[in-house]
Amino acid sequence: MNRNKREKEYYSIDVGDSTFMVLKRYQNLRPIGSGAQGIVCSAYDHILERNVAIKKLSRPFQNQTHAKRAYRELVLMKCVNHKNIIGLLNVFTPQKTLEEFQDVYLVMELMDANLCQVIQMELDHERLSYLLYQMLCGIKHLHAAGIIHRDLKPSNIVVKSDCTLKILDFGLARTAATGLLMTPYVVTRYYRAPEVILGMGYQANVDVWSVGCIMAEMVRGSVLFPGTDHIDQWNKVIEQLGTPSQEFLMKLNQSVRTYVENRPRYAGYSFEKLFPDVLFPADSEHNKLKASQARDLLSKMLVIDASKRISVDEALQHAYINVWYDPSEVEAPPPAITDKQLDEREHTVEEWKELIYKEVLDWEERTKNGIIRGQPASIGAVVRDGAHQHPLSTSYSSCNDITSSMSSALTLTGRPPEA
Ligand code: AMP
């Protein structure tokens, strides 16, 4: 495309401390959130005629951590297509050449709020179990594609007022170092499993721990294990759940084991004490039954030793969750991940810049040729769009509208779809 034509397609707008340079099809930008990678805005897409979310990745190749995460996210978002994982609608860069390349914009389906906002609400069993079911469906789909998340948290899970839920990111790369003996830097680790905190080997049910922490927070209204760093995080876990058995300690590497063995010993509390009846709606026989099922599920997810913790499949079959079971959601065919070395890649800043730039061009090429995931672009966009619309969904003009509407819809009027 010639330079002039390309320049005319974009306009620039200040959002908070940042400037967004976006395609003219996207209008009415408003900030709705920010994360480690940058600012996210809502916008109206005049071509798809719907509201979207636009995330700006500023110089994503600037260092190893940013680059790996941005590249991984871009590649995975292009491959994965499941109703409980956020869908990518467009990718673009306003810069015209590799030399000028700076920023990437990801256009996604717009949701109403993140789970941090929902945690403050009083949820009934129907909504709580439906939200958990969808988290588990999304996680199962990622696992089926060989992606183990390891870093699920409420800020990376978004919901709509009709109670539909999507996971926003793909977590830690297999090669990402974590662990007790690592230098702490500012990142939320409240939801990280013991095997991640202690730098042990892990399996798919590492993500079940995070779901357990999120569920506990939704029930309690406050963070279950609010550690200030990895060490404090571990203390919070053992104070409540008790010091793990010798059998577990034997699985730790020597230096971590020495540290863990030298902590004071805790007996922990029963799940009846940790999650007493008053935390659950218990006004009817039905609610009493559901409360005891919910507590049972918590007690099976929040198990320090992963070999004794419930699996994602078992959680999906649990009485509290399986009322929502739909094979088309649970057993959707896994996506094929095109880049097999995704997690192993190590590159210089210049190489990352080129790799990310190529991914953006590849998207532009595929959309231009009408191919999105093997479908003509128009069909791809319409099907994906339609599949996520719900009769209760509304259009919003501001972030406050979203949250206030969200609370009224979720707590008062909205109902999750019938099981
Ligand atoms: P992230 O940069 O992906 O960590 O997102 C930061 C925050 O922006 C999230 O916690 C959400 O509050 C918000 N957000 C991101 N993507 C979306 C989206 N597609 N729909 C609604 N809110 C979003």
Side-chain angles (χ1 to χ4, degrees), residues 123-137 163 165 211 215 218-219 280 286 290-291 293-294 297 301 315-316 318-325 416-417 419:
L123 295 171
D124 57 20
H125 287 297
E126 202 177 19
R127 286 175 183 78
L128 178 58
S129 64
Y130 186 54
L131 291 172
L132 291 165
Y133 164 73
Q134 295 175 87
M135 267 178 239
L136 290 163
C137 285
C163 216
L165 172 149
V211 176
M215 177 177 180
M218 289 165 119
V219 171
F280 298 95
H286 171 79
K290 288 283 160 193
Q293 287 174 344
L297 178 58
M301 296 200 286
L316 280 160
H318 189 277
Y320 192 63
I321 303 293
N322 72 5
V323 287
W324 302 106
Y325 201 100

Side-chain angles (χ1 to χ4, degrees), residues 56 217 241:
K56 178 183 180 183
E217 191 169 328
L241 298 184

Side-chain angles (χ1 to χ4, degrees), residues 32-41 52-55 57 69 73 86-87 108-117 154-159 168-169 402:
I32 51 166
S34 64
Q37 295 166 294
I39 294 183
V40 183
C41 282
V52 295
I54 306 180
K55 176 151 97 175
L57 308 180
R69 173 152 184 208
E73 185 164 311
I86 201 76
M108 301 164 279
E109 305 157 289
L110 177 67
M111 302 293 279
D112 294 336
N114 69 29
L115 218 56
C116 307
Q117 293 156 289
S155 59
N156 288 341
I157 298 174
V158 279
V159 290
L168 273 183
D169 73 330
I402 291 173

Side-chain angles (χ1 to χ4, degrees), residues 169-222:
D169 73 330
F170 300 92
L172 302 173
R174 233 184 348 265
T175 48
T178 59
L180 198 62
L181 307 177
M182 302 255 330
T183 327
Y185 62 104
V186 187
V187 56
T188 312
R189 342 165 173 271
Y190 306 151
Y191 311 90
R192 291 194 179 171
E195 54 270 36
V196 178
I197 304 174
L198 301 175
M200 306 164 75
Y202 61 91
Q203 42 177 339
N205 72 351
V206 63
D207 292 331
V208 172
W209 174 275
S210 311
V211 176
C213 294
I214 295 171
M215 177 177 180
E217 191 169 328
M218 289 165 119
V219 171
R220 272 195 186 173
S222 59

Side-chain angles (χ1 to χ4, degrees), residues 364-380:
E364 287 179 355
E365 204 56 33
R366 285 202 284 164
T367 359
K368 201 164 65 200
N369 295 334
I371 312 274
I372 295 177
R373 284 192 201 92
Q375 297 170 333
S378 55
I379 297 178

Side-chain angles (χ1 to χ4, degrees), residues 95-271:
Q95 288 91 40
K96 294 121 213 135
T97 60
L98 174 60
E99 291 65 44
E100 291 172 32
F101 179 47
Q102 294 278 330
D103 308 318
V104 178
Y105 293 85
L106 304 178
V107 184
M108 301 164 279
E109 305 157 289
L110 177 67
M111 302 293 279
D112 294 336
N114 69 29
L115 218 56
C116 307
Q117 293 156 289
V118 176
I119 281 166
Q120 307 309 320
M121 301 172 187
E122 288 216 351
L123 295 171
D124 57 20
H125 287 297
E126 202 177 19
R127 286 175 183 78
L128 178 58
S129 64
Y130 186 54
L131 291 172
L132 291 165
Y133 164 73
Q134 295 175 87
M135 267 178 239
L136 290 163
C137 285
I139 293 168
K140 183 173 160 88
H141 195 68
L142 293 183
H143 290 177
I147 306 161
I148 300 183
H149 196 293
R150 292 196 290 155
D151 199 25
L152 282 163
K153 48 185 128 181
S155 59
N156 288 341
I157 298 174
V158 279
V159 290
K160 267 198 183 172
S161 55
D162 62 9
C163 216
T164 51
L165 172 149
K166 291 175 199 286
I167 298 172
L168 273 183
D169 73 330
F170 300 92
L172 302 173
R174 233 184 348 265
T175 48
T178 59
L180 198 62
L181 307 177
M182 302 255 330
T183 327
Y185 62 104
V186 187
V187 56
T188 312
R189 342 165 173 271
Y190 306 151
Y191 311 90
R192 291 194 179 171
E195 54 270 36
V196 178
I197 304 174
L198 301 175
M200 306 164 75
Y202 61 91
Q203 42 177 339
N205 72 351
V206 63
D207 292 331
V208 172
W209 174 275
S210 311
V211 176
C213 294
I214 295 171
M215 177 177 180
E217 191 169 328
M218 289 165 119
V219 171
R220 272 195 186 173
S222 59
V223 178
L224 182 63
F225 305 123
T228 48
D229 54 44
H230 261 149
I231 292 188
D232 190 41
Q233 182 73 29
W234 177 246
N235 289 343
K236 294 281 187 306
V237 171
I238 56 174
E239 276 163 23
Q240 297 187 64
L241 298 184
T243 303
S245 66
Q246 193 59 30
E247 183 192 343
F248 176 80
L249 298 179
M250 293 313 289
K251 296 180 196 168
L252 299 171
N253 83 37
Q254 189 56 58
S255 49
V256 177
R257 193 190 317 155
T258 308
Y259 169 80
V260 170
E261 279 175 339
N262 287 324
R263 305 301 312 148
R265 296 194 71 77
Y266 295 96
Y269 298 92
S270 67
F271 276 78

Side-chain angles (χ1 to χ4, degrees), residues 45-61:
D45 179 351
H46 280 273
I47 293 187
L48 290 181
E49 298 182 338
R50 62 179 284 185
N51 290 316
V52 295
I54 306 180
K55 176 151 97 175
K56 178 183 180 183
L57 308 180
S58 303
R59 291 181 57 82
F61 43 83

